[in-house]
Amino acid sequence: MAEITALAKFKVPLGSQEIELQQIDHAEGGMSLLRIRIREGKRFTIFDIDPESAEQWAAAMQTWAKSQERK
């Protein structure tokens, strides 16, 4: 069984998707993962990613967001 800890939840202004971030800690000393749940109406998309992938994703998103500030 895994323990799930809520980290953040927010709604995207355009498209009204709900994004939820959770930490998943697997029992028996398993790896912790970041779960990203995107809800669009009744449809869910779920990603469980490792810490290294989360860092790469976060860096790419931050780079993009900063590039938009100059426009």
Side-chain angles (χ1 to χ4, degrees):
M1 191 66 142
E3 182 179 334
I4 300 173
T5 304
L7 301 175
K9 187 175 184 177
F10 53 94
K11 194 172 220 177
V12 177
L14 299 174
S16 296
Q17 294 95 344
E18 291 180 8
I19 299 176
E20 187 173 0
L21 304 178
Q22 302 171 325
Q23 179 169 320
I24 308 299
D25 293 311
H26 293 281
E28 308 286 330
M31 178 189 298
S32 294
L33 297 171
L34 176 65
R35 176 166 290 168
I36 302 158
R37 293 171 44 110
I38 303 170
R39 180 178 179 182
E40 300 176 271
K42 295 181 181 180
R43 184 175 145 214
F44 281 91
T45 302
I46 299 172
F47 299 97
D48 288 343
I49 61 173
D50 60 281
E52 293 80 17
S53 297
E55 282 188 30
Q56 292 175 8
W57 194 350
M61 292 176 76
Q62 191 167 29
T63 298
W64 177 83
K66 285 182 179 181
S67 75
Q68 300 305 302
E69 294 172 1
R70 297 182 191 119
K71 292 183 178 184

Short mmCIF file of all heavy atoms in Angstrom, two decimals:
data_model
loop_
_atom_site.label_atom_id
_atom_site.label_comp_id
_atom_site.label_asym_id
_atom_site.label_seq_id
_atom_site.Cartn_x
_atom_site.Cartn_y
_atom_site.Cartn_z
N MET A 1 0.84 -1.18 0.00
CA MET A 1 0.00 0.00 0.00
C MET A 1 0.88 1.24 0.00
O MET A 1 1.90 1.27 0.65
CB MET A 1 -0.90 -0.03 1.24
CG MET A 1 -1.99 0.97 1.24
SD MET A 1 -3.05 0.59 -0.01
CE MET A 1 -4.58 0.73 0.05
N ALA A 2 0.47 2.26 -0.69
CA ALA A 2 1.23 3.51 -0.77
C ALA A 2 0.57 4.58 0.07
O ALA A 2 -0.65 4.63 0.22
CB ALA A 2 1.32 3.97 -2.22
N GLU A 3 1.41 5.46 0.62
CA GLU A 3 0.91 6.62 1.35
C GLU A 3 0.92 7.80 0.40
O GLU A 3 1.93 8.08 -0.26
CB GLU A 3 1.80 6.91 2.56
CG GLU A 3 1.32 8.07 3.39
CD GLU A 3 2.20 8.32 4.60
OE1 GLU A 3 2.84 7.38 5.08
OE2 GLU A 3 2.23 9.47 5.06
N ILE A 4 -0.19 8.53 0.32
CA ILE A 4 -0.33 9.66 -0.59
C ILE A 4 -0.43 10.94 0.22
O ILE A 4 -1.26 11.05 1.12
CB ILE A 4 -1.57 9.50 -1.49
CG1 ILE A 4 -1.44 8.21 -2.31
CG2 ILE A 4 -1.75 10.71 -2.39
CD1 ILE A 4 -2.68 7.86 -3.10
N THR A 5 0.44 11.92 -0.11
CA THR A 5 0.44 13.21 0.56
C THR A 5 0.14 14.30 -0.46
O THR A 5 0.85 14.41 -1.47
CB THR A 5 1.83 13.49 1.20
OG1 THR A 5 2.14 12.41 2.09
CG2 THR A 5 1.82 14.79 1.96
N ALA A 6 -0.90 15.08 -0.22
CA ALA A 6 -1.25 16.18 -1.12
C ALA A 6 -0.19 17.29 -1.01
O ALA A 6 0.23 17.65 0.08
CB ALA A 6 -2.62 16.74 -0.76
N LEU A 7 0.24 17.81 -2.16
CA LEU A 7 1.24 18.87 -2.19
C LEU A 7 0.66 20.19 -2.70
O LEU A 7 0.94 21.24 -2.15
CB LEU A 7 2.42 18.47 -3.08
CG LEU A 7 3.17 17.20 -2.67
CD1 LEU A 7 4.23 16.86 -3.70
CD2 LEU A 7 3.79 17.37 -1.28
N ALA A 8 -0.12 20.14 -3.77
CA ALA A 8 -0.70 21.35 -4.35
C ALA A 8 -1.88 20.97 -5.24
O ALA A 8 -1.93 19.86 -5.76
CB ALA A 8 0.34 22.10 -5.17
N LYS A 9 -2.80 21.91 -5.37
CA LYS A 9 -3.95 21.72 -6.25
C LYS A 9 -4.35 23.08 -6.78
O LYS A 9 -4.48 24.03 -6.00
CB LYS A 9 -5.10 21.06 -5.50
CG LYS A 9 -6.26 20.67 -6.38
CD LYS A 9 -7.31 19.90 -5.58
CE LYS A 9 -8.42 19.42 -6.46
NZ LYS A 9 -9.40 18.63 -5.71
N PHE A 10 -4.50 23.18 -8.10
CA PHE A 10 -4.90 24.45 -8.68
C PHE A 10 -5.63 24.22 -10.00
O PHE A 10 -5.57 23.13 -10.56
CB PHE A 10 -3.69 25.38 -8.88
CG PHE A 10 -2.55 24.77 -9.65
CD1 PHE A 10 -2.45 24.94 -11.01
CD2 PHE A 10 -1.58 24.02 -9.00
CE1 PHE A 10 -1.41 24.39 -11.72
CE2 PHE A 10 -0.52 23.46 -9.69
CZ PHE A 10 -0.44 23.64 -11.07
N LYS A 11 -6.31 25.25 -10.46
CA LYS A 11 -7.08 25.18 -11.69
C LYS A 11 -6.42 26.09 -12.72
O LYS A 11 -6.05 27.22 -12.42
CB LYS A 11 -8.51 25.63 -11.43
CG LYS A 11 -9.48 25.30 -12.52
CD LYS A 11 -10.89 25.59 -12.09
CE LYS A 11 -11.77 24.49 -12.61
NZ LYS A 11 -13.15 24.64 -12.20
N VAL A 12 -6.27 25.58 -13.93
CA VAL A 12 -5.69 26.35 -15.03
C VAL A 12 -6.78 27.29 -15.57
O VAL A 12 -7.89 26.84 -15.85
CB VAL A 12 -5.20 25.39 -16.14
CG1 VAL A 12 -4.67 26.16 -17.33
CG2 VAL A 12 -4.16 24.45 -15.59
N PRO A 13 -6.48 28.59 -15.70
CA PRO A 13 -7.51 29.55 -16.13
C PRO A 13 -8.10 29.26 -17.51
O PRO A 13 -9.29 29.35 -17.71
CB PRO A 13 -6.81 30.90 -16.12
CG PRO A 13 -5.47 30.71 -15.56
CD PRO A 13 -5.22 29.25 -15.43
N LEU A 14 -7.26 28.90 -18.46
CA LEU A 14 -7.76 28.58 -19.81
C LEU A 14 -7.92 27.07 -19.91
O LEU A 14 -6.97 26.32 -19.72
CB LEU A 14 -6.76 29.07 -20.87
CG LEU A 14 -6.52 30.57 -20.88
CD1 LEU A 14 -5.42 30.93 -21.86
CD2 LEU A 14 -7.79 31.31 -21.21
N GLY A 15 -9.11 26.63 -20.19
CA GLY A 15 -9.36 25.20 -20.31
C GLY A 15 -9.93 24.57 -19.05
O GLY A 15 -10.45 23.47 -19.09
N SER A 16 -9.79 25.24 -17.93
CA SER A 16 -10.34 24.78 -16.65
C SER A 16 -9.86 23.41 -16.20
O SER A 16 -10.56 22.71 -15.48
CB SER A 16 -11.87 24.80 -16.69
OG SER A 16 -12.33 26.12 -16.85
N GLN A 17 -8.65 23.00 -16.61
CA GLN A 17 -8.11 21.75 -16.10
C GLN A 17 -7.75 21.92 -14.63
O GLN A 17 -7.30 22.99 -14.23
CB GLN A 17 -6.85 21.31 -16.86
CG GLN A 17 -7.08 20.96 -18.30
CD GLN A 17 -6.80 22.13 -19.22
OE1 GLN A 17 -6.72 23.28 -18.81
NE2 GLN A 17 -6.69 21.85 -20.50
N GLU A 18 -7.96 20.87 -13.85
CA GLU A 18 -7.54 20.86 -12.45
C GLU A 18 -6.25 20.06 -12.38
O GLU A 18 -6.19 18.92 -12.86
CB GLU A 18 -8.60 20.21 -11.57
CG GLU A 18 -9.85 21.03 -11.43
CD GLU A 18 -10.89 20.35 -10.54
OE1 GLU A 18 -10.59 19.32 -9.91
OE2 GLU A 18 -12.01 20.87 -10.49
N ILE A 19 -5.23 20.64 -11.77
CA ILE A 19 -3.94 19.97 -11.63
C ILE A 19 -3.70 19.73 -10.15
O ILE A 19 -3.83 20.64 -9.33
CB ILE A 19 -2.81 20.80 -12.25
CG1 ILE A 19 -3.08 20.97 -13.74
CG2 ILE A 19 -1.46 20.14 -11.99
CD1 ILE A 19 -2.09 21.84 -14.46
N GLU A 20 -3.35 18.49 -9.82
CA GLU A 20 -3.09 18.12 -8.44
C GLU A 20 -1.73 17.44 -8.38
O GLU A 20 -1.42 16.57 -9.20
CB GLU A 20 -4.18 17.16 -7.95
CG GLU A 20 -4.10 16.85 -6.50
CD GLU A 20 -5.29 16.04 -6.01
OE1 GLU A 20 -6.20 15.73 -6.81
OE2 GLU A 20 -5.31 15.72 -4.82
N LEU A 21 -0.89 17.87 -7.43
CA LEU A 21 0.41 17.26 -7.21
C LEU A 21 0.38 16.50 -5.89
O LEU A 21 -0.09 17.04 -4.88
CB LEU A 21 1.51 18.33 -7.17
CG LEU A 21 1.61 19.24 -8.40
CD1 LEU A 21 2.70 20.28 -8.18
CD2 LEU A 21 1.86 18.45 -9.65
N GLN A 22 0.87 15.27 -5.91
CA GLN A 22 0.87 14.43 -4.72
C GLN A 22 2.22 13.72 -4.61
O GLN A 22 2.83 13.41 -5.63
CB GLN A 22 -0.22 13.36 -4.81
CG GLN A 22 -1.61 13.89 -4.97
CD GLN A 22 -2.60 12.78 -5.27
OE1 GLN A 22 -2.29 11.82 -5.95
NE2 GLN A 22 -3.81 12.92 -4.73
N GLN A 23 2.63 13.45 -3.39
CA GLN A 23 3.80 12.60 -3.17
C GLN A 23 3.29 11.20 -2.87
O GLN A 23 2.42 11.02 -2.03
CB GLN A 23 4.66 13.10 -2.02
CG GLN A 23 5.87 12.20 -1.77
CD GLN A 23 6.86 12.80 -0.82
OE1 GLN A 23 7.12 14.00 -0.85
NE2 GLN A 23 7.41 11.96 0.04
N ILE A 24 3.86 10.23 -3.56
CA ILE A 24 3.49 8.83 -3.37
C ILE A 24 4.67 8.13 -2.72
O ILE A 24 5.76 8.07 -3.30
CB ILE A 24 3.17 8.15 -4.73
CG1 ILE A 24 2.16 8.96 -5.54
CG2 ILE A 24 2.72 6.71 -4.51
CD1 ILE A 24 0.82 9.14 -4.89
N ASP A 25 4.47 7.66 -1.49
CA ASP A 25 5.50 6.91 -0.77
C ASP A 25 5.06 5.45 -0.70
O ASP A 25 4.06 5.13 -0.06
CB ASP A 25 5.69 7.47 0.65
CG ASP A 25 6.28 8.86 0.64
OD1 ASP A 25 7.29 9.07 -0.05
OD2 ASP A 25 5.72 9.74 1.33
N HIS A 26 5.81 4.60 -1.37
CA HIS A 26 5.46 3.18 -1.41
C HIS A 26 5.90 2.50 -0.12
O HIS A 26 6.95 2.80 0.43
CB HIS A 26 6.09 2.51 -2.63
CG HIS A 26 5.50 3.01 -3.91
ND1 HIS A 26 4.29 2.59 -4.38
CD2 HIS A 26 5.94 3.95 -4.79
CE1 HIS A 26 4.01 3.20 -5.50
NE2 HIS A 26 5.00 4.05 -5.77
N ALA A 27 5.07 1.59 0.35
CA ALA A 27 5.36 0.84 1.57
C ALA A 27 6.61 -0.01 1.37
O ALA A 27 7.07 -0.22 0.25
CB ALA A 27 4.17 -0.05 1.93
N GLU A 28 7.16 -0.46 2.47
CA GLU A 28 8.31 -1.35 2.43
C GLU A 28 9.56 -0.66 1.88
O GLU A 28 10.38 -1.28 1.22
CB GLU A 28 8.01 -2.60 1.59
CG GLU A 28 6.75 -3.33 1.97
CD GLU A 28 6.85 -4.12 3.26
OE1 GLU A 28 7.96 -4.57 3.59
OE2 GLU A 28 5.83 -4.25 3.94
N GLY A 29 9.69 0.65 2.12
CA GLY A 29 10.91 1.35 1.72
C GLY A 29 11.06 1.58 0.23
O GLY A 29 12.16 1.78 -0.26
N GLY A 30 9.96 1.59 -0.49
CA GLY A 30 10.02 1.82 -1.93
C GLY A 30 10.31 3.28 -2.26
O GLY A 30 10.38 4.14 -1.39
N MET A 31 10.49 3.55 -3.51
CA MET A 31 10.81 4.88 -4.00
C MET A 31 9.63 5.84 -3.82
O MET A 31 8.48 5.45 -3.97
CB MET A 31 11.17 4.79 -5.48
CG MET A 31 11.50 6.13 -6.12
SD MET A 31 11.66 6.06 -7.92
CE MET A 31 13.03 4.96 -8.10
N SER A 32 9.94 7.11 -3.53
CA SER A 32 8.92 8.16 -3.51
C SER A 32 8.82 8.73 -4.92
O SER A 32 9.83 8.95 -5.59
CB SER A 32 9.30 9.26 -2.54
OG SER A 32 9.28 8.79 -1.22
N LEU A 33 7.59 8.97 -5.35
CA LEU A 33 7.35 9.52 -6.67
C LEU A 33 6.46 10.75 -6.56
O LEU A 33 5.73 10.91 -5.58
CB LEU A 33 6.67 8.49 -7.57
CG LEU A 33 7.45 7.22 -7.87
CD1 LEU A 33 6.56 6.21 -8.59
CD2 LEU A 33 8.69 7.53 -8.69
N LEU A 34 6.53 11.60 -7.56
CA LEU A 34 5.63 12.74 -7.68
C LEU A 34 4.51 12.33 -8.62
O LEU A 34 4.77 11.93 -9.76
CB LEU A 34 6.36 13.96 -8.23
CG LEU A 34 5.49 15.18 -8.49
CD1 LEU A 34 4.91 15.73 -7.19
CD2 LEU A 34 6.28 16.25 -9.21
N ARG A 35 3.28 12.40 -8.13
CA ARG A 35 2.12 12.12 -8.99
C ARG A 35 1.53 13.44 -9.45
O ARG A 35 1.25 14.33 -8.65
CB ARG A 35 1.08 11.30 -8.23
CG ARG A 35 -0.19 11.07 -9.07
CD ARG A 35 -1.07 10.02 -8.49
NE ARG A 35 -0.41 8.73 -8.66
CZ ARG A 35 -0.81 7.62 -8.06
NH1 ARG A 35 -1.83 7.64 -7.23
NH2 ARG A 35 -0.16 6.49 -8.27
N ILE A 36 1.33 13.54 -10.74
CA ILE A 36 0.70 14.70 -11.36
C ILE A 36 -0.62 14.21 -11.94
O ILE A 36 -0.63 13.35 -12.82
CB ILE A 36 1.59 15.30 -12.46
CG1 ILE A 36 2.93 15.70 -11.86
CG2 ILE A 36 0.90 16.49 -13.13
CD1 ILE A 36 4.04 15.80 -12.87
N ARG A 37 -1.71 14.74 -11.42
CA ARG A 37 -3.04 14.36 -11.89
C ARG A 37 -3.66 15.57 -12.58
O ARG A 37 -3.78 16.64 -11.99
CB ARG A 37 -3.95 13.95 -10.73
CG ARG A 37 -3.53 12.69 -10.04
CD ARG A 37 -4.34 12.45 -8.76
NE ARG A 37 -5.76 12.70 -8.94
CZ ARG A 37 -6.70 11.76 -8.94
NH1 ARG A 37 -6.38 10.51 -8.77
NH2 ARG A 37 -7.96 12.07 -9.09
N ILE A 38 -4.03 15.38 -13.83
CA ILE A 38 -4.67 16.45 -14.60
C ILE A 38 -6.09 15.99 -14.92
O ILE A 38 -6.27 14.95 -15.55
CB ILE A 38 -3.90 16.75 -15.90
CG1 ILE A 38 -2.45 17.13 -15.56
CG2 ILE A 38 -4.59 17.87 -16.69
CD1 ILE A 38 -1.53 17.21 -16.76
N ARG A 39 -7.05 16.77 -14.47
CA ARG A 39 -8.45 16.42 -14.71
C ARG A 39 -9.03 17.39 -15.72
O ARG A 39 -8.94 18.61 -15.55
CB ARG A 39 -9.24 16.49 -13.41
CG ARG A 39 -10.69 16.15 -13.60
CD ARG A 39 -11.44 16.17 -12.32
NE ARG A 39 -12.83 15.84 -12.58
CZ ARG A 39 -13.76 15.80 -11.68
NH1 ARG A 39 -13.47 16.05 -10.42
NH2 ARG A 39 -14.99 15.50 -12.00
N GLU A 40 -9.61 16.83 -16.76
CA GLU A 40 -10.31 17.61 -17.78
C GLU A 40 -11.73 17.04 -17.87
O GLU A 40 -11.94 16.03 -18.52
CB GLU A 40 -9.60 17.49 -19.13
CG GLU A 40 -8.17 17.99 -19.10
CD GLU A 40 -7.47 17.76 -20.42
OE1 GLU A 40 -6.88 16.69 -20.58
OE2 GLU A 40 -7.53 18.66 -21.27
N GLY A 41 -12.65 17.70 -17.18
CA GLY A 41 -14.01 17.17 -17.12
C GLY A 41 -14.01 15.83 -16.38
O GLY A 41 -13.60 15.75 -15.24
N LYS A 42 -14.42 14.77 -17.06
CA LYS A 42 -14.44 13.44 -16.45
C LYS A 42 -13.18 12.64 -16.73
O LYS A 42 -13.00 11.55 -16.23
CB LYS A 42 -15.65 12.65 -16.96
CG LYS A 42 -16.97 13.26 -16.53
CD LYS A 42 -18.13 12.44 -17.04
CE LYS A 42 -19.44 13.07 -16.62
NZ LYS A 42 -20.59 12.30 -17.10
N ARG A 43 -12.30 13.19 -17.54
CA ARG A 43 -11.09 12.48 -17.96
C ARG A 43 -9.90 12.84 -17.07
O ARG A 43 -9.71 14.00 -16.73
CB ARG A 43 -10.78 12.85 -19.41
CG ARG A 43 -9.63 12.13 -19.99
CD ARG A 43 -9.46 12.47 -21.45
NE ARG A 43 -8.04 12.46 -21.71
CZ ARG A 43 -7.44 13.25 -22.55
NH1 ARG A 43 -8.11 14.13 -23.25
NH2 ARG A 43 -6.15 13.18 -22.73
N PHE A 44 -9.12 11.85 -16.69
CA PHE A 44 -7.91 12.05 -15.89
C PHE A 44 -6.68 11.61 -16.68
O PHE A 44 -6.72 10.59 -17.36
CB PHE A 44 -7.95 11.21 -14.60
CG PHE A 44 -8.81 11.79 -13.53
CD1 PHE A 44 -10.14 11.44 -13.43
CD2 PHE A 44 -8.28 12.67 -12.61
CE1 PHE A 44 -10.94 11.96 -12.43
CE2 PHE A 44 -9.06 13.20 -11.60
CZ PHE A 44 -10.40 12.84 -11.51
N THR A 45 -5.60 12.37 -16.56
CA THR A 45 -4.29 11.96 -17.03
C THR A 45 -3.40 11.95 -15.80
O THR A 45 -3.37 12.93 -15.05
CB THR A 45 -3.73 12.93 -18.08
OG1 THR A 45 -4.66 12.99 -19.18
CG2 THR A 45 -2.37 12.47 -18.58
N ILE A 46 -2.68 10.85 -15.58
CA ILE A 46 -1.87 10.71 -14.38
C ILE A 46 -0.45 10.33 -14.77
O ILE A 46 -0.24 9.41 -15.56
CB ILE A 46 -2.45 9.65 -13.43
CG1 ILE A 46 -3.86 10.07 -13.00
CG2 ILE A 46 -1.55 9.45 -12.22
CD1 ILE A 46 -4.61 9.02 -12.21
N PHE A 47 0.52 11.08 -14.23
CA PHE A 47 1.93 10.78 -14.40
C PHE A 47 2.52 10.52 -13.02
O PHE A 47 2.31 11.31 -12.11
CB PHE A 47 2.70 11.98 -14.99
CG PHE A 47 2.24 12.42 -16.34
CD1 PHE A 47 1.36 13.48 -16.46
CD2 PHE A 47 2.71 11.83 -17.49
CE1 PHE A 47 0.95 13.93 -17.70
CE2 PHE A 47 2.31 12.26 -18.73
CZ PHE A 47 1.41 13.31 -18.84
N ASP A 48 3.27 9.45 -12.86
CA ASP A 48 4.07 9.20 -11.66
C ASP A 48 5.52 9.31 -12.10
O ASP A 48 5.99 8.50 -12.92
CB ASP A 48 3.80 7.81 -11.09
CG ASP A 48 2.43 7.71 -10.43
OD1 ASP A 48 1.83 8.75 -10.13
OD2 ASP A 48 1.97 6.58 -10.21
N ILE A 49 6.24 10.33 -11.59
CA ILE A 49 7.60 10.56 -12.07
C ILE A 49 8.60 10.56 -10.91
O ILE A 49 8.27 10.88 -9.77
CB ILE A 49 7.72 11.85 -12.90
CG1 ILE A 49 7.34 13.09 -12.09
CG2 ILE A 49 6.85 11.76 -14.14
CD1 ILE A 49 7.59 14.39 -12.81
N ASP A 50 9.82 10.20 -11.24
CA ASP A 50 10.91 10.13 -10.27
C ASP A 50 11.49 11.53 -10.03
O ASP A 50 11.21 12.46 -10.80
CB ASP A 50 11.99 9.19 -10.80
CG ASP A 50 12.55 9.69 -12.12
OD1 ASP A 50 11.89 9.49 -13.17
OD2 ASP A 50 13.62 10.31 -12.10
N PRO A 51 12.29 11.70 -8.98
CA PRO A 51 12.83 13.02 -8.65
C PRO A 51 13.66 13.65 -9.78
O PRO A 51 13.56 14.86 -10.02
CB PRO A 51 13.71 12.77 -7.41
CG PRO A 51 13.09 11.57 -6.77
CD PRO A 51 12.61 10.72 -7.92
N GLU A 52 14.47 12.86 -10.48
CA GLU A 52 15.30 13.42 -11.55
C GLU A 52 14.45 13.94 -12.70
O GLU A 52 14.70 15.01 -13.24
CB GLU A 52 16.30 12.36 -12.05
CG GLU A 52 17.35 11.98 -11.03
CD GLU A 52 16.87 10.98 -9.97
OE1 GLU A 52 15.82 10.31 -10.17
OE2 GLU A 52 17.52 10.89 -8.93
N SER A 53 13.42 13.20 -13.06
CA SER A 53 12.51 13.64 -14.12
C SER A 53 11.75 14.89 -13.69
O SER A 53 11.52 15.79 -14.49
CB SER A 53 11.53 12.53 -14.50
OG SER A 53 12.22 11.42 -15.01
N ALA A 54 11.36 14.95 -12.42
CA ALA A 54 10.66 16.13 -11.90
C ALA A 54 11.54 17.37 -12.00
O ALA A 54 11.07 18.45 -12.37
CB ALA A 54 10.23 15.90 -10.45
N GLU A 55 12.84 17.21 -11.69
CA GLU A 55 13.77 18.35 -11.80
C GLU A 55 13.87 18.82 -13.24
O GLU A 55 13.85 20.03 -13.51
CB GLU A 55 15.15 17.96 -11.29
CG GLU A 55 15.26 17.96 -9.78
CD GLU A 55 16.69 17.75 -9.31
OE1 GLU A 55 17.63 18.15 -10.02
OE2 GLU A 55 16.85 17.19 -8.22
N GLN A 56 13.99 17.90 -14.19
CA GLN A 56 14.09 18.28 -15.59
C GLN A 56 12.83 18.99 -16.07
O GLN A 56 12.88 20.00 -16.77
CB GLN A 56 14.36 17.05 -16.45
CG GLN A 56 15.72 16.45 -16.24
CD GLN A 56 15.92 15.16 -17.02
OE1 GLN A 56 15.09 14.78 -17.85
NE2 GLN A 56 17.01 14.47 -16.74
N TRP A 57 11.67 18.45 -15.69
CA TRP A 57 10.39 19.03 -16.08
C TRP A 57 10.24 20.43 -15.48
O TRP A 57 9.86 21.37 -16.18
CB TRP A 57 9.27 18.11 -15.62
CG TRP A 57 7.92 18.36 -16.21
CD1 TRP A 57 7.54 19.43 -16.96
CD2 TRP A 57 6.78 17.54 -16.11
NE1 TRP A 57 6.22 19.32 -17.31
CE2 TRP A 57 5.74 18.17 -16.82
CE3 TRP A 57 6.53 16.33 -15.49
CZ2 TRP A 57 4.46 17.61 -16.90
CZ3 TRP A 57 5.26 15.79 -15.59
CH2 TRP A 57 4.24 16.42 -16.29
N ALA A 58 10.56 20.56 -14.19
CA ALA A 58 10.45 21.85 -13.52
C ALA A 58 11.38 22.88 -14.15
O ALA A 58 10.99 24.05 -14.36
CB ALA A 58 10.76 21.70 -12.03
N ALA A 59 12.60 22.49 -14.46
CA ALA A 59 13.56 23.42 -15.07
C ALA A 59 13.08 23.88 -16.44
O ALA A 59 13.15 25.07 -16.77
CB ALA A 59 14.93 22.76 -15.18
N ALA A 60 12.56 22.97 -17.24
CA ALA A 60 12.05 23.33 -18.56
C ALA A 60 10.86 24.27 -18.45
O ALA A 60 10.76 25.27 -19.19
CB ALA A 60 11.67 22.07 -19.34
N MET A 61 9.96 24.01 -17.51
CA MET A 61 8.79 24.87 -17.33
C MET A 61 9.20 26.25 -16.82
O MET A 61 8.66 27.27 -17.27
CB MET A 61 7.80 24.21 -16.37
CG MET A 61 7.16 22.97 -16.96
SD MET A 61 6.08 22.13 -15.80
CE MET A 61 4.66 23.19 -15.83
N GLN A 62 10.17 26.30 -15.91
CA GLN A 62 10.62 27.58 -15.38
C GLN A 62 11.32 28.40 -16.46
O GLN A 62 11.10 29.60 -16.56
CB GLN A 62 11.54 27.36 -14.19
CG GLN A 62 11.82 28.64 -13.44
CD GLN A 62 12.48 28.37 -12.10
OE1 GLN A 62 13.18 27.39 -11.93
NE2 GLN A 62 12.24 29.26 -11.15
N THR A 63 12.13 27.75 -17.28
CA THR A 63 12.80 28.44 -18.38
C THR A 63 11.77 29.05 -19.33
O THR A 63 11.87 30.20 -19.74
CB THR A 63 13.73 27.48 -19.14
OG1 THR A 63 14.73 27.02 -18.24
CG2 THR A 63 14.36 28.14 -20.34
N TRP A 64 10.75 28.27 -19.66
CA TRP A 64 9.70 28.77 -20.54
C TRP A 64 8.95 29.94 -19.90
O TRP A 64 8.73 30.96 -20.54
CB TRP A 64 8.71 27.65 -20.90
CG TRP A 64 7.60 28.17 -21.76
CD1 TRP A 64 7.63 28.34 -23.11
CD2 TRP A 64 6.33 28.63 -21.33
NE1 TRP A 64 6.44 28.88 -23.54
CE2 TRP A 64 5.63 29.07 -22.45
CE3 TRP A 64 5.71 28.71 -20.08
CZ2 TRP A 64 4.33 29.58 -22.38
CZ3 TRP A 64 4.42 29.22 -20.01
CH2 TRP A 64 3.75 29.65 -21.15
N ALA A 65 8.56 29.80 -18.63
CA ALA A 65 7.81 30.86 -17.94
C ALA A 65 8.60 32.15 -17.89
O ALA A 65 8.06 33.23 -18.15
CB ALA A 65 7.41 30.41 -16.53
N LYS A 66 9.90 32.06 -17.59
CA LYS A 66 10.73 33.26 -17.55
C LYS A 66 10.85 33.91 -18.92
O LYS A 66 10.91 35.12 -19.03
CB LYS A 66 12.10 32.92 -16.99
CG LYS A 66 12.10 32.70 -15.51
CD LYS A 66 13.48 32.42 -14.97
CE LYS A 66 13.45 32.23 -13.47
NZ LYS A 66 14.76 31.97 -12.90
N SER A 67 10.89 33.10 -19.98
CA SER A 67 10.99 33.67 -21.33
C SER A 67 9.71 34.42 -21.72
O SER A 67 9.76 35.33 -22.54
CB SER A 67 11.28 32.58 -22.36
OG SER A 67 10.12 31.79 -22.63
N GLN A 68 8.60 34.08 -21.10
CA GLN A 68 7.34 34.75 -21.40
C GLN A 68 7.23 36.10 -20.70
O GLN A 68 6.46 36.95 -21.12
CB GLN A 68 6.16 33.87 -21.01
CG GLN A 68 6.13 32.54 -21.72
CD GLN A 68 6.18 32.68 -23.22
OE1 GLN A 68 5.32 33.34 -23.83
NE2 GLN A 68 7.17 32.09 -23.85
N GLU A 69 7.97 36.32 -19.63
CA GLU A 69 7.93 37.58 -18.88
C GLU A 69 8.43 38.74 -19.71
O GLU A 69 8.06 39.88 -19.49
CB GLU A 69 8.76 37.46 -17.61
CG GLU A 69 8.20 36.48 -16.60
CD GLU A 69 9.13 36.23 -15.42
OE1 GLU A 69 10.21 36.84 -15.37
OE2 GLU A 69 8.76 35.41 -14.57
N ARG A 70 9.28 38.47 -20.67
CA ARG A 70 9.90 39.54 -21.48
C ARG A 70 9.01 39.98 -22.62
O ARG A 70 9.32 40.95 -23.28
CB ARG A 70 11.23 39.02 -22.03
CG ARG A 70 12.21 38.71 -20.92
CD ARG A 70 13.53 38.25 -21.50
NE ARG A 70 14.33 37.72 -20.41
CZ ARG A 70 14.78 36.49 -20.34
NH1 ARG A 70 14.55 35.65 -21.31
NH2 ARG A 70 15.47 36.09 -19.31
N LYS A 71 7.96 39.26 -22.90
CA LYS A 71 7.10 39.59 -24.05
C LYS A 71 6.06 40.61 -23.70
O LYS A 71 5.63 40.79 -22.64
CB LYS A 71 6.44 38.31 -24.58
CG LYS A 71 7.44 37.38 -25.19
CD LYS A 71 6.75 36.17 -25.76
CE LYS A 71 7.78 35.26 -26.41
NZ LYS A 71 7.20 34.13 -27.05
#
